[in-house]
Amino acid sequence: MASEDIAKLAETLAKTQVAGGQLSFKGKSLKLNTAEDAKDVIKEIEDFDSLEALRLEGNTVGVEAARVIAKALEKKSELKRCHWSDMFTGRLRTEIPPALISLGEGLITAGAQLVELDLSDNAFGPDGVQGFEALLKSSACFTLQELKLNNCGMGIGGGKILAAALTECHRKSSAQGKPLALKVFVAGRNRLENDGATALAEAFRVIGTLEEVHMPQNGINHPGITALAQAFAVNPLLRVINLNDNTFTEKGAVAMAETLKTLRQVEVINFGDCLVRSKGAVAIADAIRGGLPKLKEEGEEEEEEAEEEEEEDEEEEEEEEEEEEEEPQQRGQGEKSATPSRKILDPNTGEPAPVLSSPPPADVSTFLAFPSPEKLLRLGPKSSVLIAQQTDTSDPEKVVSAFLKVSSVFKDEATVRMAVQDAVDALMQKAFNSSSFNSNTFLTRLLVHMGLLKSEDKVKAIANLYGPLMALNHMVQQDYFPKALAPLLLAFVTKPNSALESCSFARHSLLQTLYKV
């Protein structure tokens, strides 16, 4: 490290916050790769008496630096709170598990008794969970009350590993007469889906002391929701339940309603954007009216949603009938057909004659005007072709608009994810394959609308980049994507940006892909 860099680091450390047993390096943007880079951080840790909380958020810690920091932590037996979110920015996913293993070993050696562990916004995936698995099973976590793993991309595999580790922690701590009494569990945006959620539900049933559970945006359907509802029923101290943006449907909503009738401490419920269906909404509303004396907030829009869902149920039944009639004609045609083909009798021969230019239904316009995952799925299996047909792919600005609207509804739930990816493929393949399409203009305008590139014209950047980043991650891997655009995209996604930092998993995934393109 150059002398001027060391001077800057020293100046930054001089401003480090120290209060109430807490040593904070939060948001210092320290790049700690080697033992030398971490030398001054280690000194701060070693010189801090009675260290109870260590904040490392907003920095980037490499394997070697993590190893020497862990060594310093071996003498900090009073450490109780590890605020370690967003501390692997720009790291390869393979670097994170060994770094976490070292830090965990340092805590175990110290004989620490953790109360809070926050590893949110670290895009470590399933392998990263293995990096702190041993820590969770150790005596250092027998006293754990808050576990925060928001936006880590754990996936189903990571969810299962986590569930097993928590169960083992409870078993071992119970054997010592002090069972794990976890109060707060946070794991939003982790692609847990049904299997991951079900595994965690089993752990929750064993623990039984939860007060807050936050698991929004995990692609969980009614089997996983039902498993969670049954687990919540044996956690009588629950005050906050946040399952926003998962898919309850009627079965999951009814199961959750039954559980709500038994919980007396609930203060906050967030079931917004969960597709509870009309009967499910009624069941939840009845449960709320019949109990929950301490309820302060409710994020489930039952009345409006119930009315909308009644209409959607009828529309879906009609569309299913139409799809059953049209499906045989779609087989064997592949995606090369530019328009859907339907059986209409030829007035002269009486034989079925394909209509090759039927206009897209009004639902496509409705979706593009007011995008939502449900509307995309309701368009049926031809949604990707219809959206591409509706878009003027000779105009880069219109293609950008369509791309952002489609990607904005991205969810980790498999059906929605595949529908978005199919629509992106059809749209962008058509655009990039057109000789009149300006690919450079498209990418430039896309970066402007994403708030990653300034423009002379006033453009309001989109608020949430998660969907577009996930859609880009898929798009850049396809054969139709011009590989010459990858370096430009990489340059802008690498630059510091608050909107990108709030979507660290999606950003990290895209960066990894771009490095390989």
Side-chain angles (χ1 to χ4, degrees):
M1 182 180 277
S3 58
E4 58 268 24
D5 292 332
I6 295 174
K8 288 181 181 178
L9 179 59
E11 183 181 350
T12 299
L13 292 174
K15 299 176 182 177
T16 298
Q17 299 173 8
V18 179
Q22 172 177 285
L23 176 61
S24 176
F25 300 96
K26 182 179 179 180
K28 302 300 182 183
S29 299
L30 302 176
K31 294 182 180 180
L32 308 177
N33 298 316
T34 65
E36 178 66 21
D37 295 341
K39 184 173 64 175
D40 292 325
V41 173
I42 292 167
K43 187 176 188 306
E44 289 281 333
I45 293 173
E46 290 176 339
D47 292 347
F48 196 105
D49 294 329
S50 301
L51 178 63
E52 294 184 7
L54 177 61
R55 308 196 76 105
L56 293 173
E57 310 104 307
N59 301 291
T60 179
V61 181
V63 176
E64 185 181 337
R67 190 179 300 120
V68 293
I69 290 173
K71 195 69 178 175
L73 292 178
E74 289 181 1
K75 298 179 182 178
K76 300 299 174 180
S77 60
E78 296 178 339
L79 186 61
K80 293 180 175 62
R81 298 183 183 276
C82 297
H83 302 280
W84 294 351
S85 63
D86 188 25
M87 67 176 210
F88 296 112
T89 303
R91 299 289 169 186
L92 294 175
R93 189 175 292 182
T94 53
E95 294 181 84
I96 301 176
L100 287 173
I101 289 171
S102 294
L103 292 168
E105 289 174 347
L107 295 173
I108 295 169
T109 302
Q113 297 285 288
L114 295 185
V115 173
E116 180 179 1
L117 177 61
D118 186 356
L119 292 170
S120 298
D121 298 319
N122 290 310
F124 46 59
D127 293 341
V129 183
Q130 293 178 324
F132 61 93
E133 179 184 9
L135 173 62
L136 282 181
K137 293 179 179 179
S138 75
S139 59
C141 285
F142 287 179
T143 51
L144 194 63
Q145 295 180 12
E146 300 182 29
L147 180 58
K148 300 174 182 178
L149 300 166
N150 200 56
N151 192 31
C152 291
M154 291 189 291
I156 294 172
K160 289 182 176 180
I161 296 169
L162 176 61
L166 288 173
T167 302
E168 180 69 2
C169 181
H170 187 273
R171 185 190 68 77
K172 291 169 71 174
S173 58
S174 296
Q176 293 192 7
K178 294 183 179 180
L180 171 67
L182 190 66
K183 294 181 179 180
V184 178
F185 180 83
V186 181
R189 271 193 181 172
N190 270 291
R191 302 180 296 160
L192 295 170
E193 300 186 14
N194 289 328
D195 290 348
T198 300
L200 285 167
E202 288 299 315
F204 296 165
R205 289 171 69 94
V206 172
I207 294 169
T209 56
L210 289 167
E211 296 181 13
E212 295 186 26
V213 175
H214 302 263
M215 297 174 66
Q217 294 183 316
N218 269 298
I220 308 171
N221 295 328
H222 72 81
I225 296 297
T226 300
L228 288 171
Q230 294 169 348
F232 293 165
V234 292
N235 282 265
L237 300 179
L238 267 173
R239 295 182 297 102
V240 179
I241 303 175
N242 177 6
L243 295 175
N244 181 275
D245 201 8
N246 289 293
T247 306
F248 280 44
T249 66
E250 181 183 328
K251 291 181 181 178
V254 169
M256 190 62 68
E258 288 302 309
T259 288
L260 290 177
K261 293 176 183 178
T262 69
L263 299 175
R264 312 301 295 173
Q265 304 300 319
V266 173
E267 299 176 5
V268 179
I269 294 172
N270 189 343
F271 298 156
D273 196 19
C274 282
L275 200 67
V276 299
R277 301 294 191 190
S278 54
K279 291 181 181 178
V282 170
I284 291 175
D286 287 343
I288 291 171
R289 282 193 288 266
L292 304 186
K294 297 185 178 181
L295 187 67
K296 298 176 182 178
E297 297 178 29
E298 184 196 353
E300 189 253 320
E301 303 145 344
E302 71 236 28
E303 294 182 5
E304 178 182 350
E305 194 171 72
E307 294 174 2
E308 291 178 356
E309 293 306 328
E310 285 177 1
E311 296 176 2
E312 288 180 6
D313 288 344
E314 293 174 2
E315 291 176 8
E316 285 176 358
E317 288 176 6
E318 293 175 2
E319 288 177 4
E320 284 172 4
E321 292 175 2
E322 290 178 5
E323 287 168 11
E324 287 175 3
E325 294 174 1
E326 295 169 11
E327 188 175 351
Q329 295 153 59
Q330 294 174 35
R331 293 185 187 131
Q333 291 180 5
E335 293 186 3
K336 292 183 179 178
S337 174
T339 54
S341 178
R342 300 181 179 178
K343 283 187 177 179
I344 298 178
L345 294 180
D346 187 306
N348 298 320
T349 65
E351 295 295 323
V355 176
L356 298 178
S357 58
S358 56
D363 282 331
V364 178
S365 300
T366 303
F367 167 75
L368 291 174
F370 304 100
S372 75
E374 293 73 29
K375 288 175 185 173
L376 179 61
L377 294 179
R378 281 165 48 198
L379 289 176
K382 297 173 293 185
S383 60
S384 58
V385 175
L386 294 174
I387 292 170
Q389 284 180 333
Q390 189 95 334
T391 307
D392 178 5
T393 50
S394 66
D395 186 341
E397 189 71 26
K398 291 179 179 178
V399 176
V400 167
S401 176
F403 175 86
L404 290 175
K405 287 177 179 178
V406 169
S407 62
S408 71
V409 306
F410 182 94
K411 293 175 68 174
D412 290 316
E413 181 186 337
T415 52
V416 177
R417 181 174 68 246
M418 291 177 65
V420 169
Q421 290 174 348
D422 288 347
V424 167
D425 285 342
L427 173 67
M428 299 314 304
Q429 186 168 9
K430 179 184 175 185
F432 286 132
N433 288 348
S434 171
S435 59
S436 61
F437 184 68
N438 191 319
S439 300
N440 290 322
T441 300
F442 162 76
L443 184 56
T444 300
R445 296 305 298 169
L446 179 61
L447 292 170
V448 168
H449 283 274
M450 292 176 68
L452 306 182
L453 178 63
K454 292 182 179 180
S455 172
E456 293 181 359
D457 54 332
K458 293 183 179 180
V459 174
K460 184 178 180 181
I462 58 175
N464 190 342
L465 295 182
Y466 182 73
L469 289 172
M470 295 300 283
L472 280 170
N473 188 35
H474 170 78
M475 182 180 77
V476 299
Q477 299 178 60
Q478 308 311 309
D479 291 339
Y480 61 75
F481 177 72
K483 299 301 185 281
L485 296 181
L488 178 60
L489 181 58
L490 177 63
F492 281 92
V493 177
T494 305
K495 291 174 61 177
N497 183 285
S498 58
L500 287 174
E501 289 165 7
S502 66
C503 304
S504 60
F505 171 76
R507 179 193 196 182
H508 188 76
S509 298
L510 177 56
L511 285 173
Q512 282 190 310
T513 301
L514 287 170
Y515 281 124
K516 298 174 185 176
V517 172

